[in-house]
Amino acid sequence: MDEGLVFREDWSLHPKGHLDRRRHDARVREAIRERLPDLLHDESFFLSDGKAIVRIPVRTLEEARFRFDEGKHRHVGQGAGGTRPGDVVGRAADGATPDGGPGEAPGVDYIEAEVTLEAVEEVLFSELTLPNLRPKAPEAVSSDGERFSDLRKKGAWANLDKRRTVFQALKRTRLRAALAGPEKGGGVGAERGRVALRLTDEDLRFRAYAPAPHEEGRAVVFAMMDTSGSMGTYEKEMARTFFFWMTRFLKTRFERVDRVYIAHHAEAKVVDEETFFRKGESGGTVVSSAYALALRLIAAEYPPERYNLYAIHFTDGDNLPQDNAEASRLLKALIERTNLTGYAEVTHYAKRRTLYDEFLPLASPAFRLVRLQDKSDLYGALRHFFSERTA
Amino acid sequence: MKGRLRRAEEDARLKERIEAVTAIAREMGLDFFPMRYHIIPADVMLAIGASGMPTRFSHWQFGKAFYRMKLHYDLGLSKIYELVINSDPCEAFLYEGNSLLQNTVIVAHVLAHSDFFKNNVYFSRTNRRMVDSMAASAERIRRYEIAYGERRVEAFLDAALSIQEHIDPYGTARETGFWWEDADAFYDAAVDGSDRRIEGSDRQGEAGSAEAPARGGGRVGGGDPPGKKRRWGLFADLWALDERLSGNDGKRSGAGGAEAEPPARRRFPPEPEKDVLLFILRYSTALEPWQRDILTIVHDEMRYFWPQLETKLMNEGWATYWHRKIMQALPLSPEEAIEFARMHAEIVKPYPGGINPYLLGWKMFETIEAKSGREGMFEARELDNDVSFIRNHLTEEVVRELDLFVYGRKDDVWQVETTDWTAVREALIRQRIGGGFPLIVVADGDFERRGELLLRHVHDGPELDVRSIEQTLPHVHRLWGRPVHLETVLEGRTVRFSYDGIRHDRTALA
């Protein structure tokens, strides 16, 4: 007697789990999108080299139900023996019960989802684009990749595409069966019957590869920052956060992204990353010094014909008034040579007249300005700089 | 590489084991459906476990459950040993990484589940072809998604699922309509007063949880004078009239009869209705045909799952008892005997802060066996659900042996309140009543004669979580299409929560 049948089937294509997960993930992405302005300056992301996981409350991931208030509920537990009234079972953190049992009490995970750097990037970068891409000289185009591009009937055996070959054979034999006519057991529906599968030379399919050139080769970011006394820790953190996301974004678009850090007060110099973000100097501010240095570097090392150049300047907007005209002049030269020049002014007093007002008439698709008051404005700044908008 | 030959050999050995185990189980008196075992990868196992059925519609909540289960699985916190579907033939799933011995134990375990599904009275009306029904429903929902948009259908499913527990799991109103919709039944009940429903509404609920009495003829929120005997049921209006005529009506005293009460209006529904989902399905004016269809799907699926929610403790206890008995009767090598002992210990390991149903249920069945033999066990398996099982069969000895206790929150710690066994029993029953969900009824389907929906939480101790109310009411509003209200008791005061589609409101009533 047959006591129970055993089935070992291929479940790899069973869609159930994938669909459920896809829908869940879509909700998480939605929550990330809603909270991007806050998420972007969550320090865990860049302090741990991007490996951190941030937990965010996700309202849309809570199953709405009428529930009991667990905190006012009496629960039953099991001890290891000798339990007495008054013994402490656990700490009541975040309204969770100590129940570890599967499917029992609602825990914190009802309202939080883990968000990785990749997840945030995926959402953020999908909203950013590279404005003003210009074709570069051929030598800058690298072509180290090869991409499967075509199917051919002839080719090297090593490139045989087995799946498509068999598919081709199936198609041919089934079609023949269907067209054979009823007297030979063919006709409509016969293609579903059993037909011996035979491979012939005409079924063979080979993959053809073509070199896959990368359209954009290298990008250089000129990170310029005012390090004079008026730029405090908070302002520098904002700049750091901005450059972090900007660099990561550019890395997804370019094979190689170089960064040049230019710190300036009364004079400008190229510094390393650590110095750039940490060190403060005192003294007046002469903005044109930074632009002049950037222009010299471009002329000497990064010709715009070969590089995609992005110059972003973070400052509090204070400049030596006599320097304003010179700064504007050099800025125009910089705008001409870069894909994008950005001016980000961190200021808490929006009414004061600053460099922002000085530069505003220059605004164009290639030159964008933004004023930031606090960290939550960073998201807007990124979107302002990296969009196809024309102004 | 795991060759096909080796796999065939494994399957052959598994088949041998299945036959041996099945023969022993049958000999011991288990009576199960024909079995079909599927060997599947862990991910598929978790995915099916998350939604309860391989063919069920897709929803993000199942994806979420999947991730939680997978996390536990990856951390080694839990392992789904068995997954079995209440169907005829009965579908059971075995994880493809299992050893032969593990699979043997699981086969023994699921045979007992299958026996339970087949013989427990609460399962007697479940749809045994639910695998196919759910597949058909999922297909319809998929088409609605194509026709009306994935987001829209999903949002509606969210709303439907938010009240899925509030059904009458053993009622037949889905097929026959509510009893009071039938003029004859209504007339009979009114004439001879013998309708069981009316008596039913009078009776005390399980474990002292009284079904909410509809306030005798009073307006909602009016309240009766303290100490006055309340009446409810179909004749509430008549009794009230009676009292009014004889001048007993507290409200009118002193008014000299100058202001007559407005004529008693028809109550709708005439009694508090437990099947909130069905009531909305039948009476909401805001639903498109496809939305009604989705509500019937959710209703059907919940009715199917309900007996499992209500017999979790028993069902797992029963299966644990039998897998142990069967394994003891099976000739095993010493290595396998040790592996089994280890696995069994893992299954009945106490849960921190909670109750392991495998362990408690198993111990309780052993108690029954000691007291009234196998016969008593089979009787309990046939007639009990968790609530009656605990009430009838939880003994002081078991509570002592497992060191069970009642605990609650005190300031910022969870503290043991008592180890008294009757208190443990009461707390367990309270947790298991109604599947562990709050009892919520439709108190008025035409609240204030404005077509608004008034729900009432039948309060019998534990309070509702306020946030959960405010989270759920908008979903109910989406289903009802008019303002919705929920009355409950918070710290001794009746409070009415309202949501009108834009904002929440809270009114203290008494």
Side-chain angles (χ1 to χ4, degrees):
Chain A
M1 181 176 156
D2 207 1
E3 297 281 22
L5 303 169
V6 176
F7 300 88
R8 195 190 276 277
E9 286 145 4
D10 182 8
W11 286 78
S12 58
L13 291 177
H14 191 68
K16 183 85 190 81
H18 302 289
L19 289 176
D20 295 341
R21 273 166 268 165
R22 188 169 60 76
R23 283 162 194 220
H24 170 273
D25 296 346
R27 289 218 162 197
V28 174
R29 270 200 302 279
E30 219 169 88
I32 293 176
R33 182 163 291 133
E34 279 166 18
R35 300 181 55 86
L36 264 182
D38 298 331
L39 275 173
L40 290 190
H41 55 80
D42 196 304
E43 292 192 340
S44 1
F45 283 132
F46 36 95
L47 292 186
S48 65
D49 202 20
K51 292 195 182 69
I53 285 172
V54 173
R55 297 180 70 84
I56 58 164
V58 183
R59 268 297 166 90
T60 50
L61 274 186
E62 279 180 85
E63 292 104 339
R65 297 282 193 280
F66 294 117
R67 281 182 236 284
F68 288 121
D69 184 339
E70 294 296 331
K72 294 179 180 165
H73 219 137
R74 298 171 92 206
H75 304 261
V76 179
Q78 181 176 1
T83 300
R84 285 169 190 210
D87 289 359
V88 171
V89 193
R91 301 199 60 79
D94 305 324
T97 72
D99 294 36
E104 285 284 314
V108 237
D109 61 345
Y110 269 107
I111 50 162
E112 289 193 334
E114 291 186 338
V115 174
T116 58
L117 177 63
E118 290 78 51
V120 175
E121 285 184 336
E122 190 195 327
V123 174
L124 173 65
F125 296 166
S126 72
E127 302 192 343
L128 304 182
T129 53
L130 280 180
N132 312 322
L133 264 187
R134 286 180 290 222
K136 297 294 156 182
E139 56 263 45
V141 173
S142 74
S143 62
D144 52 351
E146 281 202 327
R147 206 178 292 152
F148 162 52
S149 65
D150 196 11
L151 276 180
R152 298 191 184 150
K153 291 190 176 181
K154 293 211 162 39
W157 282 106
N159 290 339
L160 180 70
D161 189 323
K162 293 172 191 156
R163 200 168 66 90
R164 287 189 169 86
T165 299
V166 171
F167 180 69
Q168 199 59 34
L170 270 172
K171 215 160 82 176
R172 185 180 47 76
T173 40
R174 296 266 154 119
L175 190 64
R176 185 173 300 161
L179 296 175
E183 69 279 6
K184 285 183 186 164
V188 178
E191 73 277 8
R192 279 187 225 103
R194 273 173 189 276
V195 179
L197 182 68
R198 192 167 294 146
L199 283 177
T200 68
D201 280 351
E202 58 179 308
D203 298 328
L204 297 178
R205 289 294 178 275
F206 298 90
R207 292 176 176 215
Y209 292 88
H214 285 254
E215 293 297 332
E216 311 97 29
R218 297 176 66 176
V220 182
V221 175
F222 291 96
M224 294 177 282
M225 184 156 64
D226 183 353
T227 54
S228 66
S230 50
M231 285 285 282
T233 324
Y234 185 80
E235 289 79 5
K236 282 185 188 155
E237 269 312 313
M238 285 178 65
R240 181 191 180 83
T241 308
F242 181 88
F243 286 122
F244 173 84
W245 292 107
M246 173 177 163
T247 309
R248 291 198 72 98
F249 170 62
L250 293 177
K251 277 181 176 167
T252 63
R253 299 296 197 274
F254 296 104
E255 204 170 308
R256 193 165 153 202
V257 179
D258 290 342
R259 277 166 292 181
V260 178
Y261 294 103
I262 298 175
H264 75 88
H265 39 97
E267 54 194 62
K269 58 186 168 192
V270 174
V271 296
D272 61 28
E273 187 177 347
E274 179 63 24
T275 317
F276 186 74
F277 289 117
R278 296 275 171 230
K279 239 176 156 178
E281 310 216 12
S282 54
T285 312
V286 181
V287 166
S288 64
S289 65
Y291 299 164
L293 179 55
L295 284 167
R296 276 204 302 280
L297 287 167
I298 291 172
E301 295 175 45
Y302 303 107
E305 306 80 49
R306 294 178 52 185
Y307 292 91
N308 290 285
L309 303 177
Y310 295 89
I312 306 287
H313 182 205
F314 262 80
T315 174
D316 60 4
D318 270 339
N319 194 27
L320 192 69
Q322 297 90 312
D323 182 52
N324 282 357
E326 177 68 356
S328 295
R329 193 182 64 81
L330 292 177
L331 181 64
K332 277 182 212 154
L334 200 56
I335 295 167
E336 272 169 29
R337 286 167 178 72
T338 55
N339 292 40
L340 178 73
T341 298
Y343 174 83
E345 187 173 290
V346 187
T347 174
H348 306 294
Y349 320 98
K351 288 201 178 114
R352 204 174 38 142
R353 185 170 171 83
T354 59
L355 265 185
Y356 183 92
D357 306 288
E358 196 73 34
F359 289 161
L360 196 57
L362 300 177
S364 74
F367 176 61
R368 304 179 185 198
L369 310 86
V370 70
R371 240 180 191 150
L372 304 136
Q373 296 214 0
D374 59 53
K375 286 182 173 177
S376 57
D377 294 334
L378 282 169
Y379 170 61
L382 276 166
R383 287 193 50 154
H384 183 64
F385 285 155
F386 296 100
S387 65
E388 282 297 352
R389 249 177 310 192
T390 46
Chain B
M1 196 184 113
K2 199 161 176 179
R4 200 180 301 165
L5 264 178
R6 210 177 125 204
R7 221 172 237 180
E9 193 184 310
E10 268 179 19
D11 288 355
R13 285 166 61 200
L14 177 60
K15 280 199 80 131
E16 261 171 48
R17 275 290 170 81
I18 289 173
E19 285 184 17
V21 165
T22 310
I24 295 172
R26 190 165 282 137
E27 200 177 305
M28 288 178 165
L30 292 184
D31 167 30
F32 35 83
F33 292 121
M35 302 296 295
R36 292 158 54 97
Y37 301 95
H38 304 265
I39 297 169
I40 62 176
D43 267 20
V44 176
M45 189 87 148
L46 293 171
I48 299 174
S51 67
M53 183 70 93
T55 51
R56 207 170 178 196
F57 60 83
S58 284
H59 196 260
W60 64 270
Q61 290 180 6
F62 308 144
K64 179 181 160 185
F66 171 89
Y67 282 119
R68 191 168 46 221
M69 287 160 70
K70 181 157 169 52
L71 181 72
H72 283 228
Y73 180 84
D74 290 345
L75 292 177
L77 292 176
S78 74
K79 192 166 173 180
I80 306 185
Y81 286 102
E82 21 100 27
L83 188 60
V84 57
I85 307 285
N86 165 30
S87 61
D88 180 12
C90 178
E91 314 282 349
F93 298 87
L94 306 173
Y95 165 50
E96 72 180 5
N98 278 347
S99 69
L100 179 64
L101 184 275
Q102 283 174 324
N103 275 338
T104 311
V105 177
I106 291 163
V107 167
H109 192 92
V110 297
L111 279 173
H113 277 315
S114 182
D115 164 273
F116 197 93
F117 292 149
K118 189 174 171 185
N119 295 289
N120 181 275
V121 67
Y122 291 91
F123 285 84
S124 58
R125 294 219 318 249
T126 52
N127 177 359
R128 312 290 190 182
R129 301 191 51 84
M130 202 58 181
V131 183
D132 299 336
S133 304
M134 283 203 193
S137 305
E139 177 59 23
R140 288 209 307 282
I141 290 180
R142 207 184 59 78
R143 287 191 190 166
Y144 295 145
E145 282 173 352
I146 293 168
Y148 305 106
E150 205 172 282
R151 297 298 304 265
R152 218 174 135 206
V153 173
E154 185 179 63
F156 189 78
L157 268 172
D158 286 351
L161 292 175
S162 79
I163 53 161
Q164 65 171 343
E165 289 95 6
H166 305 291
I167 63 164
D168 182 0
Y170 305 107
T172 54
R174 250 270 283 133
E175 287 76 21
T176 59
F178 290 115
W179 68 273
W180 38 265
E181 287 171 342
D182 178 350
D184 287 348
F186 196 84
Y187 176 79
D188 290 349
V191 169
D192 64 13
S194 64
D195 187 279
R196 63 194 163 77
R197 292 271 185 169
I198 295 166
E199 286 166 12
S201 75
D202 234 340
R203 103 199 119 103
Q204 293 288 101
E206 285 170 315
S209 69
E211 183 128 327
R215 289 268 167 76
R219 331 232 19 101
V220 174
D224 299 283
K228 186 178 154 201
K229 188 176 183 297
R230 286 196 215 149
R231 297 181 190 275
W232 53 79
L234 195 56
F235 305 119
D237 290 352
L238 284 175
W239 298 128
L241 185 68
D242 226 21
E243 279 165 359
R244 244 194 333 269
L245 289 175
S246 58
N248 278 343
D249 186 25
K251 285 181 210 149
R252 278 186 72 250
S253 56
E259 38 174 313
E261 291 230 340
R265 71 174 173 92
R266 168 181 170 247
R267 297 190 66 82
F268 172 62
E271 284 185 3
E273 176 52 54
K274 190 178 176 209
D275 205 324
V276 179
L277 184 59
L278 183 62
F279 187 86
I280 289 175
L281 166 62
R282 290 178 81 84
Y283 289 106
S284 168
T285 53
L287 300 175
E288 305 277 350
W290 65 271
Q291 293 174 320
R292 285 186 202 281
D293 187 32
I294 285 184
L295 287 189
T296 64
I297 290 170
V298 170
H299 195 269
D300 277 352
E301 295 189 357
M302 199 59 208
R303 265 205 306 194
Y304 167 80
F305 284 123
W306 192 271
Q308 295 178 45
L309 298 174
E310 265 196 337
T311 58
K312 175 98 183 131
L313 173 68
M314 285 185 78
N315 210 336
E316 295 303 358
W318 180 253
T320 305
Y321 173 91
W322 285 107
H323 82 228
R324 194 163 160 276
K325 286 286 174 214
I326 292 168
M327 293 305 286
Q328 283 169 351
L330 197 71
L332 292 176
S333 70
E335 293 78 35
E336 281 195 318
I338 291 171
E339 198 189 338
F340 168 66
R342 212 174 268 153
M343 184 176 168
H344 181 73
E346 186 67 26
I347 292 172
V348 299
K349 191 173 66 179
Y351 293 161
I355 288 298
N356 179 343
Y358 297 80
L359 173 60
L360 180 60
W362 166 47
K363 288 290 173 190
M364 286 173 65
F365 271 114
E366 283 202 328
T367 313
I368 300 173
E369 185 182 26
K371 210 160 58 188
S372 35
R374 287 267 163 92
E375 226 171 283
M377 287 178 63
F378 277 96
E379 194 180 300
R381 166 278 244 146
E382 189 176 338
L383 299 175
D384 278 326
N385 64 9
D386 280 353
V387 170
S388 61
F389 185 61
I390 295 166
R391 185 183 296 121
N392 297 336
H393 303 295
L394 184 70
T395 62
E396 184 170 5
E397 290 70 39
V398 172
V399 174
R400 291 270 159 278
E401 187 194 335
L402 299 184
D403 190 27
L404 303 184
F405 54 80
V406 177
Y407 69 93
R409 185 166 179 170
K410 196 170 180 227
D411 302 327
D412 55 350
V413 292
W414 296 97
Q415 203 174 45
V416 176
E417 285 175 9
T418 173
T419 55
D420 174 65
W421 80 276
T422 53
V424 168
R425 186 178 62 185
E426 285 319 303
L428 274 176
I429 287 172
R430 204 173 267 288
Q431 271 180 19
R432 301 299 301 135
I433 270 189
F437 305 110
L439 175 57
I440 287 177
V441 295
V442 177
D444 196 336
D446 188 17
F447 182 53
E448 305 277 15
R449 312 210 72 172
R450 288 195 302 249
E452 302 178 3
L453 181 68
L454 175 68
L455 301 178
R456 181 175 293 126
H457 168 223
V458 181
H459 179 72
D460 63 340
E463 291 184 0
L464 289 186
D465 177 34
V466 169
R467 212 169 73 86
S468 85
I469 299 173
E470 294 185 338
Q471 225 171 20
T472 312
L473 279 182
H475 286 284
V476 183
H477 180 270
R478 185 193 289 268
L479 300 174
W480 188 250
R482 296 276 307 144
V484 291
H485 313 267
L486 176 93
E487 272 180 26
T488 184
V489 177
L490 295 177
E491 280 158 9
R493 297 168 64 90
T494 303
V495 181
R496 184 163 68 224
F497 291 82
S498 305
Y499 181 75
D500 63 2
I502 297 163
R503 54 186 214 99
H504 289 277
D505 204 11
R506 204 187 290 193
T507 324
L509 298 176

